[in-house]
Amino acid sequence: MADAEASADVAVVGAGPAGLYTACCAGFRGLSSVIVDALPEPGGQVAALYPEKRIHDVAGLPAVRGRELVDGLIAQVEPFRPRYLLGRTAVSLVPEEGRGWAIRLEDGGLVRAGAVVIAAGLGRSVPRTLPCLGPYQGRGVAHHVPRPDEHRDRDVVIVGGGDSAVDWALALAPIARSVTVVHRRSAFRAHEHSVKQMYASGVRVVTDAQVTACKGAGNLEEVWVRAEEGELKMPAQALVGALGFITNIGPIADWGLRMSNRLVLVDGAMRTNMPGVYAVGDICHYEGRVPLISVAFGEAATAANHAAVGLRPGARLAPEHSTDIDATNLS
């Protein structure tokens, strides 16, 4: 049974990289945190959409896989013992006189916190799909590849022409029995270098084509494709629909936040128009913002330290140097 109520100094809405690092920075200031996310696992879109993809814009890490980055962030915040409320959607945010804020969850739960940091990324992502894929959802059809090794010795069909489709094809090529990429256009939207690697990898590429049917007794066994050379029938125990996602920030849009183009407007301290409420990462906007994970980490640190001052008037804005913190506080 889900927890009915939770409380902390800081409530973080979103368990992606920005949200996890916010909780870590809050912990450095001696603040407790609760992290709420609609997804069942921490990591946000990095964990859900490209766990095996290498990320190159995190300072100090020339290249890190999405899953490794998330694992590192979870380990980094763990000493501060954040409370995770995963698979639970925040639906409303209301002030409580003298107590900060109350966040109502979709399942009826309640989170109380002195400060709130919204780190919800682009919001909830719903995968685009095709009608013929629906009957086999969860029975061979998926929309991302969290664990490539599960496809070892399988025939895999990937539908799409963007970076995700090509990246997953490259990741699965040495693992699966066969990999076929089906794209409705002749040109790919993915990075040119990745596309060249895909063509050189032995992956079968079928362009100007469309999946018309999925067949199988119970689980997926065959995929039918209409292509220029006619109707193609190919064995497939797995199909990855890499057709993109529709994003929606959902209830956050109705919380009374000042917004522009569905992004939360913030000042240089990451403050919103609501006192004690901050926003960081891709859901926030200010003039000149660059949408990088490395930028979101800086925003997380800024928000957490301003929240510390807001909750404890007279406290210094600048935290201690992390090298000065007694190791016993991190164990």
Side-chain angles (χ1 to χ4, degrees):
M1 182 176 177
D3 296 330
E5 190 168 323
S7 62
D9 295 317
V10 179
V12 182
V13 181
L20 292 170
Y21 193 59
T22 296
C24 181
C25 292
F28 274 123
R29 299 304 301 266
L31 302 176
S32 60
S33 61
V34 172
I35 305 174
V36 181
D37 200 295
L39 294 174
E41 297 180 1
Q45 291 193 11
V46 171
L49 303 185
Y50 48 96
E52 297 301 319
K53 187 173 181 179
R54 291 186 181 275
I55 299 169
H56 299 273
D57 63 350
V58 179
L61 297 174
V64 59
R65 294 188 187 278
R67 183 180 300 281
E68 294 169 350
L69 176 63
V70 170
D71 288 346
L73 287 163
I74 293 171
Q76 187 177 27
V77 73
E78 181 56 32
F80 304 115
R81 296 176 176 81
R83 186 172 179 181
Y84 291 97
L85 301 180
L86 302 175
R88 305 176 72 177
T89 301
V91 294
S92 67
L93 176 67
V94 296
E96 290 193 317
E97 187 67 34
R99 300 180 64 180
W101 295 92
I103 300 173
R104 180 69 65 181
L105 306 182
E106 191 173 42
D107 59 10
L110 187 69
V111 176
R112 289 189 167 94
V116 175
V117 180
I118 302 170
L122 298 175
R124 179 179 288 183
S125 297
V126 178
R128 298 180 188 274
T129 189
L130 299 172
C132 62
L133 305 186
Y136 291 92
Q137 186 70 40
R139 295 190 294 131
V141 170
H143 296 280
H144 53 90
V145 185
R147 296 171 182 82
D149 199 61
E150 292 180 354
H151 295 292
R152 184 169 299 279
D153 297 327
R154 288 180 176 175
D155 299 299
V156 182
V157 173
I158 300 172
V159 186
D163 285 309
S164 293
V166 174
D167 288 342
W168 285 328
L170 291 172
L172 293 174
I175 297 172
R177 179 165 49 232
S178 69
V179 177
T180 302
V181 174
V182 178
H183 183 34
R184 64 192 179 96
R185 303 184 188 279
S186 58
F188 284 82
R189 303 185 310 278
H191 193 279
E192 183 179 355
H193 177 66
S194 298
V195 174
K196 289 180 179 178
Q197 285 184 303
M198 177 180 66
Y199 274 104
S201 69
V203 168
R204 181 185 183 186
V205 180
V206 183
T207 57
D208 295 307
Q210 188 166 345
V211 172
T212 56
C214 294
K215 298 183 180 182
N219 293 322
L220 181 67
E221 297 175 7
E222 293 179 350
V223 172
W224 291 62
V225 176
R226 185 174 61 245
E228 287 187 330
E229 59 265 43
E231 198 80 17
L232 305 177
K233 181 179 72 171
M234 54 190 71
Q237 297 80 51
L239 182 148
V240 182
L243 300 167
F245 289 78
I246 301 170
T247 58
N248 190 328
I249 64 170
I252 294 174
D254 301 319
W255 288 2
L257 296 157
R258 192 161 62 94
M259 306 185 74
S260 175
N261 294 324
R262 302 187 68 76
L263 299 176
V264 179
L265 298 176
V266 296
D267 63 12
M270 311 315 297
R271 293 177 293 221
T272 71
N273 60 301
M274 299 166 67
V277 179
Y278 306 78
V280 302
D282 286 343
I283 199 169
C284 80
H285 179 71
Y286 50 86
E287 185 177 356
R289 183 178 190 275
V290 180
L292 295 173
I293 290 177
S294 52
V295 171
F297 286 156
E299 294 164 350
T302 298
N305 283 286
H306 279 278
V309 173
L311 292 172
R312 298 173 180 172
R316 293 175 52 194
L317 175 61
E320 297 178 60
H321 295 295
S322 63
T323 52
D324 294 335
I325 297 176
D326 192 325
T328 58
N329 294 329
L330 300 178
S331 61

